[in-house]
Coordinates of all heavy atoms in Angstrom, one line a residue:
M1 N 0.8 -1.3 0.0 CA 0.0 0.1 0.0 C 0.9 1.2 0.0 O 1.9 1.3 0.6 CB -0.9 -0.1 1.2 CG -0.7 1.0 2.3 SD -1.7 0.7 3.8 CE -0.7 -0.5 4.5
G2 N 0.4 2.3 -0.7 CA 1.3 3.5 -0.7 C 0.7 4.5 0.2 O -0.6 4.5 0.5
M3 N 1.6 5.4 0.6 CA 1.1 6.4 1.6 C 1.7 7.6 1.2 O 2.9 7.8 0.9 CB 1.6 6.0 3.0 CG 1.2 6.9 4.1 SD -0.5 6.5 4.6 CE -0.1 5.4 6.1
R4 N 1.0 8.9 1.4 CA 1.5 10.2 1.1 C 1.4 10.9 2.5 O 0.4 10.8 3.2 CB 0.8 11.0 0.1 CG 0.9 10.2 -1.2 CD 1.0 11.2 -2.4 NE 1.7 10.5 -3.5 CZ 0.9 10.2 -4.6 NH1 -0.3 10.3 -4.8 NH2 1.7 9.4 -5.4
V5 N 2.3 11.8 2.8 CA 2.5 12.5 4.1 C 2.7 13.8 3.7 O 3.5 14.2 2.8 CB 3.6 11.8 4.9 CG1 3.6 12.5 6.1 CG2 3.4 10.4 5.1
T6 N 2.3 14.8 4.6 CA 2.6 16.2 4.3 C 4.0 16.5 4.9 O 4.3 16.1 6.1 CB 1.7 17.1 4.9 OG1 0.2 16.8 4.4 CG2 1.9 18.6 4.7
F7 N 4.8 17.1 4.2 CA 6.1 17.6 4.6 C 6.2 19.0 4.5 O 5.6 19.6 3.6 CB 7.3 16.9 3.7 CG 7.5 15.4 3.9 CD1 6.9 14.5 3.0 CD2 8.2 14.8 5.0 CE1 7.0 13.3 3.1 CE2 8.2 13.6 5.1 CZ 7.6 12.7 4.2
K8 N 6.8 19.6 5.5 CA 6.6 21.1 5.7 C 8.1 21.7 6.0 O 8.8 21.0 6.7 CB 5.8 21.5 6.9 CG 5.5 22.9 6.9 CD 4.5 23.1 8.0 CE 4.0 24.6 7.9 NZ 3.2 25.1 9.1
C9 N 8.3 22.8 5.3 CA 9.7 23.5 5.4 C 9.4 24.6 6.6 O 8.6 25.4 6.3 CB 10.1 24.0 4.1 SG 11.7 25.0 4.4
A10 N 10.2 24.5 7.5 CA 10.2 25.6 8.6 C 10.9 26.8 8.0 O 10.6 27.9 8.5 CB 11.0 25.0 9.9
G11 N 11.8 26.8 7.1 CA 12.3 28.0 6.5 C 11.5 28.9 5.6 O 11.6 30.1 5.9
C12 N 10.9 28.3 4.7 CA 10.0 29.1 3.8 C 8.5 28.7 3.8 O 7.7 29.4 3.1 CB 10.7 28.9 2.4 SG 10.4 27.3 1.6
G13 N 8.1 27.7 4.5 CA 6.7 27.5 4.6 C 6.1 26.5 3.5 O 5.1 26.3 3.3
Y14 N 7.1 26.1 2.6 CA 6.7 25.2 1.6 C 6.2 23.8 2.1 O 6.7 23.3 3.0 CB 7.9 24.8 0.6 CG 7.6 23.8 -0.5 CD1 6.9 24.1 -1.5 CD2 8.3 22.6 -0.4 CE1 6.6 23.1 -2.5 CE2 8.2 21.7 -1.4 CZ 7.4 22.0 -2.4 OH 7.1 21.0 -3.2
T15 N 5.1 23.4 1.6 CA 4.6 22.1 2.0 C 4.6 21.2 0.8 O 4.2 21.7 -0.4 CB 3.2 22.2 2.7 OG1 2.2 22.8 1.7 CG2 3.3 22.9 3.9
A16 N 4.6 19.8 0.9 CA 4.5 19.0 -0.1 C 3.7 17.7 0.4 O 4.1 17.2 1.4 CB 5.7 18.6 -0.9
L17 N 2.7 17.2 -0.4 CA 2.1 15.9 -0.1 C 2.8 14.8 -0.9 O 2.3 14.6 -2.0 CB 0.6 16.0 -0.2 CG -0.3 14.8 0.3 CD1 -0.1 14.7 1.8 CD2 -1.6 15.1 -0.2
V18 N 3.7 14.1 -0.4 CA 4.4 13.1 -1.1 C 4.7 12.0 -0.4 O 4.4 12.1 0.9 CB 5.9 13.7 -1.8 CG1 5.5 14.8 -2.8 CG2 6.7 14.3 -0.6
S19 N 5.2 10.9 -0.9 CA 5.6 9.7 -0.1 C 6.9 9.9 0.8 O 6.9 9.3 1.7 CB 5.9 8.5 -1.1 OG 5.0 8.1 -2.0
G20 N 7.8 10.8 0.2 CA 9.1 10.9 0.9 C 10.0 9.9 0.9 O 11.0 9.7 1.7
G21 N 10.0 9.2 -0.3 CA 11.0 8.1 -0.6 C 10.4 7.0 -1.5 O 9.2 7.2 -2.0
P22 N 11.1 6.1 -1.7 CA 10.6 4.9 -2.6 C 9.3 4.4 -2.0 O 9.4 4.2 -0.8 CB 11.7 3.9 -2.6 CG 13.0 4.7 -2.3 CD 12.6 5.7 -1.4
D23 N 8.3 4.0 -2.7 CA 7.0 3.6 -2.2 C 6.4 2.6 -3.2 O 6.9 2.6 -4.3 CB 6.0 4.8 -2.0 CG 5.0 4.4 -1.0 OD1 4.9 3.4 -0.6 OD2 4.0 5.3 -0.9
G24 N 5.5 1.8 -2.7 CA 4.9 0.9 -3.6 C 3.5 0.6 -3.4 O 3.1 0.6 -2.2
G25 N 2.7 0.7 -4.4 CA 1.1 0.5 -4.3 C 0.8 -0.8 -4.9 O 1.7 -1.6 -5.1
M26 N -0.3 -1.1 -5.1 CA -0.9 -2.3 -5.7 C -0.5 -2.4 -7.2 O -0.2 -3.5 -7.7 CB -2.4 -2.3 -5.5 CG -3.0 -2.4 -4.2 SD -2.6 -3.9 -3.2 CE -3.8 -5.0 -3.9
I27 N -0.5 -1.3 -7.9 CA -0.2 -1.3 -9.3 C 1.1 -0.7 -9.7 O 1.5 -1.2 -10.8 CB -1.4 -0.7 -10.0 CG1 -1.6 0.7 -9.6 CG2 -2.6 -1.5 -10.1 CD1 -2.3 1.6 -10.6
A28 N 1.8 0.0 -8.9 CA 2.9 0.7 -9.4 C 3.8 1.1 -8.3 O 3.4 1.2 -7.1 CB 2.6 1.9 -10.2
G29 N 5.1 1.1 -8.5 CA 6.1 1.8 -7.5 C 6.3 3.2 -7.8 O 6.3 3.6 -9.0
T30 N 6.6 4.0 -6.8 CA 6.8 5.4 -7.1 C 8.0 5.8 -6.2 O 8.5 5.0 -5.4 CB 5.7 6.4 -6.6 OG1 5.5 6.2 -5.2 CG2 4.3 5.9 -7.2
T31 N 8.7 6.9 -6.6 CA 9.6 7.4 -5.8 C 9.4 9.0 -5.7 O 8.8 9.6 -6.6 CB 11.0 7.1 -6.3 OG1 12.0 7.3 -5.3 CG2 11.4 8.0 -7.6
T32 N 10.1 9.6 -4.7 CA 9.9 11.1 -4.6 C 11.2 11.6 -5.3 O 12.3 11.2 -4.7 CB 9.8 11.4 -3.2 OG1 8.6 10.7 -2.6 CG2 9.5 12.9 -3.0
I33 N 11.0 12.8 -6.0 CA 12.0 13.6 -6.6 C 12.0 15.0 -6.2 O 10.9 15.5 -5.9 CB 12.3 13.3 -8.0 CG1 11.1 14.0 -8.8 CG2 12.5 12.0 -8.5 CD1 11.1 14.2 -10.2
A34 N 13.2 15.7 -6.0 CA 13.1 17.1 -5.9 C 13.7 17.6 -7.1 O 14.8 17.4 -7.5 CB 14.0 17.5 -4.7
C35 N 12.8 18.3 -7.9 CA 13.2 19.0 -9.1 C 13.8 20.4 -8.9 O 13.2 21.3 -8.1 CB 12.0 19.2 -10.0 SG 12.5 19.9 -11.7
A36 N 15.0 20.6 -9.2 CA 15.8 21.8 -9.1 C 15.2 23.0 -9.9 O 15.3 24.0 -9.5 CB 17.3 21.7 -9.4
D37 N 14.6 22.6 -11.1 CA 14.0 23.7 -12.0 C 12.7 24.2 -11.4 O 12.3 25.3 -11.4 CB 13.9 23.1 -13.4 CG 15.3 23.0 -13.9 OD1 15.9 24.0 -14.4 OD2 16.0 21.9 -13.8
C38 N 11.8 23.3 -11.1 CA 10.5 23.6 -10.6 C 10.5 24.0 -9.1 O 9.6 24.6 -8.5 CB 9.5 22.3 -10.7 SG 9.3 21.7 -12.4
Q39 N 11.5 23.5 -8.4 CA 11.7 23.7 -6.9 C 10.4 23.1 -6.3 O 9.8 23.8 -5.4 CB 11.9 25.1 -6.6 CG 13.1 25.8 -7.1 CD 13.7 27.2 -6.6 OE1 12.7 28.0 -6.3 NE2 14.8 27.3 -6.4
E40 N 10.2 21.8 -6.7 CA 9.1 21.2 -6.1 C 9.4 19.7 -5.9 O 10.3 19.1 -6.5 CB 7.8 21.1 -7.0 CG 7.4 22.4 -7.4 CD 6.2 22.8 -6.6 OE1 5.8 22.0 -5.6 OE2 5.7 24.1 -6.7
L41 N 8.7 19.1 -4.8 CA 8.9 17.6 -4.6 C 7.7 17.1 -5.3 O 6.6 17.6 -5.4 CB 8.8 17.3 -3.0 CG 9.7 17.9 -2.1 CD1 9.6 17.4 -0.7 CD2 11.3 17.5 -2.6
R42 N 8.0 15.9 -6.0 CA 7.1 15.2 -6.8 C 7.1 13.7 -6.5 O 8.4 13.3 -6.4 CB 7.2 15.5 -8.2 CG 7.2 16.9 -8.6 CD 7.4 17.0 -10.0 NE 7.5 18.5 -10.7 CZ 6.3 19.1 -10.7 NH1 5.2 18.8 -10.3 NH2 6.5 20.4 -11.0
D43 N 6.1 13.1 -6.5 CA 6.1 11.6 -6.6 C 6.0 11.2 -8.0 O 5.1 11.7 -8.7 CB 4.8 11.0 -5.9 CG 5.0 10.8 -4.4 OD1 6.3 10.7 -3.9 OD2 4.1 10.9 -3.6
I44 N 6.7 10.4 -8.4 CA 6.7 9.9 -9.9 C 6.8 8.4 -10.0 O 7.4 7.8 -9.0 CB 7.9 10.5 -10.7 CG1 9.2 10.2 -10.1 CG2 7.7 12.0 -11.0 CD1 10.4 10.3 -11.1
P45 N 6.1 7.8 -10.9 CA 6.1 6.3 -11.0 C 7.6 5.9 -11.5 O 8.0 6.4 -12.4 CB 5.0 6.0 -12.2 CG 4.7 7.4 -12.9 CD 5.2 8.5 -12.0
V46 N 7.9 4.8 -11.0 CA 9.1 4.3 -11.4 C 9.0 2.8 -11.9 O 9.9 2.4 -12.7 CB 10.2 4.1 -10.3 CG1 10.7 5.5 -10.1 CG2 9.6 3.5 -9.1
E47 N 7.8 2.2 -11.7 CA 7.8 0.8 -12.2 C 6.3 0.4 -12.1 O 5.7 0.8 -11.1 CB 8.6 -0.1 -11.1 CG 8.9 -1.5 -11.7 CD 9.9 -2.2 -10.7 OE1 10.5 -1.6 -9.9 OE2 10.1 -3.4 -11.1
I48 N 5.9 -0.2 -13.1 CA 4.5 -0.7 -13.1 C 4.6 -2.2 -13.0 O 5.1 -2.8 -13.8 CB 3.6 -0.3 -14.4 CG1 3.6 1.2 -14.5 CG2 2.3 -0.8 -14.4 CD1 3.4 1.8 -15.7
W49 N 4.0 -2.7 -12.0 CA 4.0 -4.1 -11.7 C 3.2 -4.9 -12.8 O 2.3 -4.4 -13.3 CB 3.5 -4.6 -10.4 CG 3.8 -3.8 -9.2 CD1 2.8 -3.2 -8.3 CD2 5.0 -3.2 -8.6 NE1 3.5 -2.5 -7.3 CE2 4.8 -2.4 -7.6 CE3 6.4 -3.4 -9.3 CZ2 5.8 -1.9 -6.8 CZ3 7.3 -2.8 -8.3 CH2 7.1 -2.0 -7.3
N50 N 3.6 -6.2 -13.1 CA 2.7 -7.0 -13.8 C 2.4 -6.4 -15.2 O 1.3 -6.4 -15.6 CB 1.4 -7.6 -13.2 CG 1.7 -8.2 -11.9 OD1 2.8 -8.9 -11.8 ND2 0.9 -7.9 -10.8
S51 N 3.3 -5.7 -15.8 CA 3.0 -5.0 -17.1 C 3.9 -5.4 -18.1 O 5.1 -5.4 -17.9 CB 3.0 -3.5 -16.8 OG 2.8 -2.8 -18.1
D52 N 3.6 -5.5 -19.4 CA 4.4 -5.8 -20.5 C 4.8 -4.5 -21.1 O 5.7 -4.3 -22.1 CB 3.8 -6.7 -21.5 CG 3.7 -8.2 -21.0 OD1 4.5 -8.5 -20.0 OD2 2.8 -8.9 -21.3
E53 N 4.0 -3.4 -20.8 CA 4.3 -2.1 -21.3 C 5.8 -1.6 -20.9 O 6.2 -2.0 -19.9 CB 3.3 -1.2 -20.9 CG 1.9 -1.5 -21.5 CD 0.8 -0.5 -20.8 OE1 1.1 0.6 -20.6 OE2 -0.4 -1.1 -20.7
E54 N 6.1 -0.7 -21.6 CA 7.4 -0.1 -21.3 C 7.4 0.6 -19.9 O 6.4 1.3 -19.6 CB 7.8 1.0 -22.3 CG 9.2 1.0 -22.8 CD 9.3 1.9 -24.1 OE1 8.8 1.8 -25.1 OE2 10.2 2.8 -23.8
Q55 N 8.4 0.5 -19.2 CA 8.4 0.9 -17.8 C 8.8 2.5 -18.0 O 9.4 2.9 -18.8 CB 9.6 0.4 -17.0 CG 9.3 -1.1 -16.7 CD 8.1 -1.5 -15.8 OE1 7.8 -0.7 -15.0 NE2 7.4 -2.5 -16.1
P56 N 8.1 3.2 -17.1 CA 8.3 4.7 -17.2 C 9.8 5.3 -16.9 O 10.5 4.5 -16.1 CB 7.5 5.3 -15.9 CG 7.0 4.1 -15.1 CD 7.2 2.8 -15.9
V57 N 10.1 6.2 -17.7 CA 11.5 6.8 -17.4 C 11.4 7.8 -16.3 O 10.4 8.6 -16.2 CB 12.0 7.6 -18.7 CG1 13.2 8.2 -18.6 CG2 11.9 6.6 -19.9
I58 N 12.4 7.7 -15.4 CA 12.4 8.6 -14.4 C 12.9 10.1 -14.8 O 14.0 10.3 -15.2 CB 13.4 8.2 -13.1 CG1 12.9 6.8 -12.6 CG2 13.3 9.2 -12.0 CD1 13.7 6.4 -11.5
Q59 N 11.9 11.0 -14.6 CA 12.2 12.5 -15.1 C 11.2 13.4 -14.4 O 10.1 12.9 -13.9 CB 12.1 12.6 -16.6 CG 10.6 12.3 -17.1 CD 10.6 12.7 -18.6 OE1 11.0 12.1 -19.5 NE2 9.7 13.8 -18.7
C60 N 11.5 14.5 -14.4 CA 10.4 15.5 -14.0 C 9.3 15.4 -15.0 O 9.5 15.5 -16.3 CB 10.9 16.9 -13.9 SG 9.8 18.2 -13.5
P61 N 8.1 15.4 -14.6 CA 6.9 15.3 -15.4 C 6.7 16.5 -16.3 O 6.1 16.6 -17.3 CB 5.7 15.1 -14.6 CG 6.1 15.4 -13.2 CD 7.5 15.3 -13.1
V62 N 7.3 17.6 -15.9 CA 7.2 19.0 -16.5 C 8.0 19.0 -17.8 O 7.6 19.4 -19.0 CB 7.4 20.1 -15.7 CG1 7.3 21.4 -16.4 CG2 6.4 20.2 -14.5
S63 N 9.3 18.6 -17.7 CA 10.2 18.6 -18.8 C 11.3 17.5 -18.5 O 11.8 17.5 -17.4 CB 10.8 20.0 -19.0 OG 11.9 19.9 -19.9
V64 N 11.8 16.9 -19.6 CA 12.9 16.1 -19.5 C 14.2 16.9 -19.3 O 15.3 16.4 -18.8 CB 13.2 15.2 -20.8 CG1 12.1 14.1 -20.9 CG2 13.3 16.1 -22.0
E65 N 14.2 18.2 -19.6 CA 15.4 19.0 -19.5 C 15.6 19.4 -17.9 O 16.8 19.8 -17.5 CB 15.1 20.3 -20.2 CG 14.7 20.2 -21.5 CD 15.8 20.0 -22.5 OE1 16.6 20.9 -22.6 OE2 15.9 19.0 -23.2
H66 N 14.7 19.3 -17.1 CA 14.8 19.6 -15.7 C 15.9 18.6 -15.0 O 15.9 17.5 -15.2 CB 13.5 19.5 -14.9 CG 12.6 20.7 -15.4 ND1 11.4 20.9 -14.8 CD2 12.8 21.7 -16.3 CE1 10.9 22.1 -15.3 NE2 11.7 22.6 -16.1
S67 N 16.6 19.2 -14.1 CA 17.4 18.4 -13.3 C 16.8 18.1 -11.9 O 16.2 19.0 -11.3 CB 18.8 19.1 -13.1 OG 18.7 20.3 -12.5
W68 N 16.9 16.9 -11.6 CA 16.2 16.4 -10.4 C 17.2 15.5 -9.7 O 18.0 15.1 -10.0 CB 14.9 15.8 -10.7 CG 15.2 14.5 -11.7 CD1 15.2 14.7 -13.0 CD2 15.5 13.2 -11.2 NE1 15.6 13.4 -13.4 CE2 15.6 12.6 -12.6 CE3 15.6 12.5 -10.1 CZ2 16.1 11.1 -12.5 CZ3 16.0 11.2 -10.0 CH2 16.2 10.5 -11.3
R69 N 16.8 15.3 -8.4 CA 17.5 14.3 -7.6 C 16.6 13.5 -6.7 O 15.4 14.0 -6.5 CB 18.6 15.0 -6.7 CG 17.9 15.8 -5.6 CD 19.0 16.5 -4.8 NE 18.4 17.4 -3.8 CZ 18.0 17.0 -2.6 NH1 18.0 15.5 -2.2 NH2 17.4 17.8 -1.6
Q70 N 16.9 12.3 -6.3 CA 16.1 11.5 -5.4 C 15.9 12.1 -4.1 O 16.8 12.7 -3.7 CB 16.7 10.1 -5.4 CG 15.7 9.1 -4.9 CD 15.4 8.0 -5.9 OE1 16.2 7.9 -6.9 NE2 14.4 7.3 -5.7
W71 N 14.8 12.2 -3.7 CA 14.5 12.8 -2.3 C 13.9 11.8 -1.3 O 13.0 11.1 -1.6 CB 13.5 13.9 -2.6 CG 13.4 14.8 -1.3 CD1 14.1 16.1 -1.1 CD2 12.5 14.9 -0.2 NE1 13.8 16.6 0.0 CE2 12.7 15.9 0.7 CE3 11.6 13.9 0.2 CZ2 12.1 16.2 1.8 CZ3 10.8 14.0 1.4 CH2 11.2 15.2 2.1
Q72 N 14.6 11.7 -0.3 CA 14.1 10.7 0.8 C 14.3 11.3 2.2 O 15.4 11.8 2.6 CB 15.0 9.4 0.7 CG 14.5 8.3 1.6 CD 14.9 7.0 1.3 OE1 15.8 6.8 0.4 NE2 14.3 5.9 1.8
F73 N 13.1 11.5 2.9 CA 13.1 11.9 4.2 C 13.9 11.4 5.1 O 14.0 10.1 5.1 CB 11.6 11.9 4.8 CG 11.3 12.6 6.0 CD1 11.4 13.9 6.1 CD2 11.3 11.8 7.2 CE1 11.2 14.6 7.4 CE2 11.2 12.4 8.4 CZ 11.0 13.8 8.5
P74 N 14.8 11.9 6.0 CA 14.8 13.4 6.1 C 15.8 14.1 5.1 O 16.8 13.6 4.8 CB 15.4 13.6 7.6 CG 16.2 12.4 7.8 CD 15.6 11.2 6.9
D75 N 15.3 15.1 4.5 CA 16.0 15.8 3.3 C 15.7 17.3 3.3 O 14.8 17.7 4.0 CB 15.7 15.0 2.1 CG 16.8 15.0 1.0 OD1 17.7 16.1 1.0 OD2 16.9 14.2 0.2
N76 N 16.2 18.0 2.4 CA 16.3 19.4 2.4 C 15.2 19.8 1.5 O 14.7 19.3 0.6 CB 17.5 20.1 2.0 CG 18.7 19.8 2.9 OD1 18.4 19.3 4.1 ND2 19.9 19.9 2.5
C77 N 14.7 21.1 1.7 CA 13.6 21.8 1.0 C 14.2 22.1 -0.4 O 15.2 22.6 -0.4 CB 13.3 23.1 1.7 SG 12.2 24.2 0.8
P78 N 13.4 21.8 -1.4 CA 13.9 22.2 -2.8 C 13.9 23.6 -3.1 O 14.5 24.0 -4.2 CB 12.8 21.4 -3.6 CG 11.5 21.4 -2.9 CD 12.0 21.3 -1.4
K79 N 13.3 24.4 -2.2 CA 13.2 25.9 -2.5 C 14.4 26.7 -1.8 O 15.1 27.4 -2.4 CB 11.9 26.4 -2.2 CG 10.7 26.0 -3.0 CD 9.5 26.9 -2.7 CE 8.3 26.1 -3.3 NZ 8.2 26.2 -4.8
C80 N 14.5 26.4 -0.5 CA 15.4 27.1 0.3 C 16.5 26.4 0.9 O 17.4 26.9 1.6 CB 14.7 27.9 1.4 SG 14.0 27.0 2.7
D81 N 16.5 25.0 0.8 CA 17.5 24.1 1.2 C 17.5 24.0 2.8 O 18.4 23.2 3.4 CB 18.9 24.7 0.9 CG 19.7 23.4 0.3 OD1 19.2 22.5 -0.3 OD2 20.9 23.6 0.3
A82 N 16.6 24.4 3.4 CA 16.4 24.1 5.0 C 15.9 22.6 5.0 O 15.3 22.1 4.2 CB 15.4 25.1 5.6
M83 N 16.1 22.1 6.3 CA 15.7 20.7 6.4 C 14.1 20.8 6.6 O 13.6 21.5 7.2 CB 16.3 20.2 7.8 CG 16.0 18.6 8.0 SD 16.8 17.7 6.7 CE 18.4 17.3 7.4
M84 N 13.5 19.8 5.9 CA 12.0 19.7 6.0 C 11.7 18.7 7.1 O 12.3 17.8 7.5 CB 11.5 19.2 4.7 CG 11.6 20.3 3.5 SD 10.6 20.0 2.1 CE 9.1 20.2 2.6
E85 N 10.4 19.0 7.6 CA 9.9 18.3 8.6 C 8.7 17.5 8.2 O 7.8 18.0 7.4 CB 9.6 19.1 10.0 CG 10.9 19.7 10.5 CD 10.6 20.9 11.4 OE1 9.4 21.2 11.7 OE2 11.4 21.6 11.8
R86 N 8.3 16.4 8.8 CA 7.1 15.8 8.6 C 6.1 16.4 9.5 O 6.2 16.6 10.6 CB 7.2 14.3 9.0 CG 6.1 13.4 8.6 CD 6.4 12.0 8.5 NE 7.3 11.5 9.4 CZ 7.9 10.4 9.4 NH1 7.8 9.6 8.3 NH2 8.6 10.0 10.4
D87 N 4.9 16.9 8.7 CA 3.9 17.6 9.5 C 2.9 16.7 10.0 O 2.1 16.2 9.4 CB 3.3 18.5 8.5 CG 2.2 19.5 9.1 OD1 2.1 19.4 10.3 OD2 1.7 20.4 8.3
E88 N 3.1 16.4 11.4 CA 2.1 15.4 12.0 C 0.7 15.8 11.9 O -0.1 15.0 12.0 CB 2.6 15.2 13.4 CG 4.1 14.7 13.6 CD 4.3 13.4 13.1 OE1 3.5 12.5 12.7 OE2 5.6 13.1 12.8
A89 N 0.5 17.1 11.8 CA -0.9 17.6 11.9 C -1.4 17.7 10.5 O -2.6 18.0 10.3 CB -0.9 19.0 12.5
G90 N -0.5 17.5 9.5 CA -0.8 17.6 8.1 C -1.6 16.3 7.6 O -2.0 15.4 8.4
E91 N -1.8 16.4 6.2 CA -2.7 15.3 5.7 C -1.9 14.0 5.5 O -0.7 13.9 5.1 CB -3.2 15.7 4.3 CG -4.4 15.3 3.8 CD -4.8 16.0 2.5 OE1 -4.2 17.0 2.2 OE2 -5.7 15.4 1.9
W92 N -2.5 12.9 5.9 CA -1.9 11.6 5.4 C -2.9 10.8 4.6 O -4.0 10.7 4.7 CB -1.8 10.7 6.7 CG -0.8 11.2 7.7 CD1 -0.7 12.5 8.3 CD2 0.3 10.7 8.1 NE1 0.3 12.6 9.2 CE2 1.1 11.4 9.0 CE3 1.1 9.4 7.8 CZ2 2.2 11.0 9.7 CZ3 2.2 9.1 8.4 CH2 2.9 9.9 9.3
V93 N -2.3 10.4 3.4 CA -3.4 9.9 2.3 C -2.9 8.6 1.9 O -1.6 8.3 1.6 CB -3.4 10.8 1.1 CG1 -4.3 10.1 0.0 CG2 -3.9 12.2 1.5
R94 N -3.7 7.5 2.0 CA -3.5 6.3 1.4 C -3.9 6.3 0.0 O -5.1 6.7 -0.2 CB -4.3 5.2 2.2 CG -3.3 4.4 3.2 CD -4.2 3.5 4.0 NE -4.6 2.4 3.1 CZ -5.1 1.2 3.6 NH1 -5.2 1.1 5.1 NH2 -5.4 0.2 2.9
W95 N -3.0 6.1 -1.0 CA -3.5 6.2 -2.3 C -3.8 4.9 -3.2 O -4.1 4.9 -4.3 CB -2.4 7.1 -3.1 CG -1.0 6.5 -3.2 CD1 0.1 6.9 -2.2 CD2 -0.3 5.5 -4.0 NE1 1.2 6.3 -2.5 CE2 1.0 5.5 -3.5 CE3 -0.7 4.9 -4.9 CZ2 2.0 4.6 -4.1 CZ3 0.1 3.9 -5.6 CH2 1.5 3.9 -5.3
D96 N -3.9 3.8 -2.3 CA -4.6 2.7 -2.9 C -4.8 1.7 -1.8 O -4.8 2.0 -0.6 CB -3.6 1.9 -3.8 CG -2.3 1.3 -3.1 OD1 -2.3 1.4 -2.0 OD2 -1.6 0.8 -3.9
Ligands
ZN101 ZN1 12.1 25.9 2.3
ZN102 ZN1 10.8 20.2 -13.0

């Protein structure tokens, strides 16, 4: 089962609802990336189970030109580089 959690930056107030690292649901595996161009955290699909289709390429969904890195909590804010915190009062979402 996959889970999304709210992460919050104490430095600039940025929040993101992402898995916070490699995750897996019933139909696909995802991972969290920090895109340096968008300055956003994003969950992106990395693997689709039980599929003969081509597996997704890891990239920023906005553009292949964007540079990104794998993001795994605890890690830094993509906007201001301060350490992000898990927001215990924030939203927790099961996505499958
Ligand atoms: Zn920040
Ligand atoms: Zn991007």
